Each structure stands twice: as C-alpha cells, then as structure tokens.
Amino acid sequence: MTRLRFLPFAVVAAFALAPMAFADVGPAPQVEARVDVPPALLTGLARHAEAFEQMKARGAYTLDGTFEEVASDGHVASTKEARVRIEARRGDPTPRVDIVRYLEDGHDKTQEAREKAASRKPKKDKKELKIPFLASEQPRYVFAVVEHDRNVPTRVRVAFDPKEPAEDAIKGTAWVDTTKGEILSMGFSFSKNPTFIDHVDVTLTFGNTTPLGRAPSAFSFDGRGSFLFIHKHFRGRATITDARVAY
C-alpha cells in the first residue's frame, strides 16, 4: 500500500494528505500556452527536491493538525486534533514521535494515542511518494510551464504528469522560483488511486526556511474513499513550525 510520506505524518495515516488539486498559493496567474521547462530550472528544482529528501531524513518540527470526517449532508461527523513533535535520529530511519496532545471530538485521548504509537510496529513493505522534480523521478514525468505570475515574473507554474499512471506517482502543478530553483507550493493528486481511495487532493506550501532550503509550512487535503457500500469523505489541514535540521 502506498503511504504518502513527504512528511512522516503520524496523525493522518493517508497524507493523504484546501480542496483543489491545483492550488494557487499567492501568485496572480497569467494563463498561457504550455511550454517546455528549461533544463536549468529542472536542474535547480532537482537540487531542492534532493534537499527535501535530506529534510525528511534529518529534520525536526512540530505539527498541529486537524482531521475531519464529513457526513453526506456536509456536516462534520467527527474531528481529530493533534500536536506532534517529530525529530529524526542519526542512524535510525524511524524518527522520534512525541504526541503532545490528541483530541477526538473534543475529548482528550493523548495517553491512548501515545500507547498505540508505542505499540505500533514499523511497516516494512511500503512505497514512498517522491517529489517529481527529484532527479531520479524526472524521467517518469512530463513537465511544462503553464503560467507566469504577472506580479513576479520569476515565479512560474509548472505542471507535472507521469508518463504512466502509478500509485507512487502524482499529477498536479507547482509554483516555483526560477531564480532560486525552489518550490514555493504544490497542488497534486494520485495519478492512480490506491485501493479504497476514490480521490485525494493535496496542497503543500513551502514557507519555512531551513539551512537546507525551503521546507513545508502547511498542507491540506480533501478526499473520498469507499469500501463496498460504505463511503467516506475526509479532509484535514496542518501547520508545521519549529522546522530545523536535527543532525
């Protein structure tokens, strides 16, 4: 089963991770014909993607998240809230996860969540989604510049689509800084939905600054899943603070 592990998000099993797969975070768009992405820009974005992999492996941060199940009439059926501190450990692929607070529909269940987390065994067979701009991932994708920010010409929107849909490949767009070769924000969804998932749309904003470059500061998701006659609508959002390199 594919696990969305752009971040080791311990609260929402499907990071899974506002609605709209192609989120516009900030820039004022200027629609234009699709053009190829300059090789130099792809090289810069590959460096940022590699730095992001280092952030995942060596990072520490605090995550405040909310997960909601939504009933068929649109009202919120249940809410889960959590504050989690995560810190990578040298020589250990599993980060330290400290559940600071966990609530279910307003009821404090922090201790239960800690006990469950302590007894949970790491899954050995798992696929990780990777940012399409990573050098090792780029051959799997087709990229195109689809918009410019009319207020900041050095910011462009790059679309990415896998050549072959797969559960570990995503489709969407990203606003990027052409001068620094950095990702500013991304909006994406699965190119091929995993079992029991009908769709998941995700936005990811890179607003934190670290020694390794821009790091995620917030994300949100909206999705639907089904099993036999059971249909679920879920959504969530989270902010990421205190981002730093642990070692």
Side-chain angles (χ1 to χ4, degrees), residues 12-33:
V12 182
F15 176 9
L17 286 222
M20 297 300 294
F22 308 129
D24 295 336
V25 183
Q30 178 178 326
V31 179
E32 58 190 50

Side-chain angles (χ1 to χ4, degrees), residues 21-43:
F22 308 129
D24 295 336
V25 183
Q30 178 178 326
V31 179
E32 58 190 50
R34 295 169 65 99
V35 297
D36 292 339
V37 180
L41 177 55
L42 284 176
T43 298

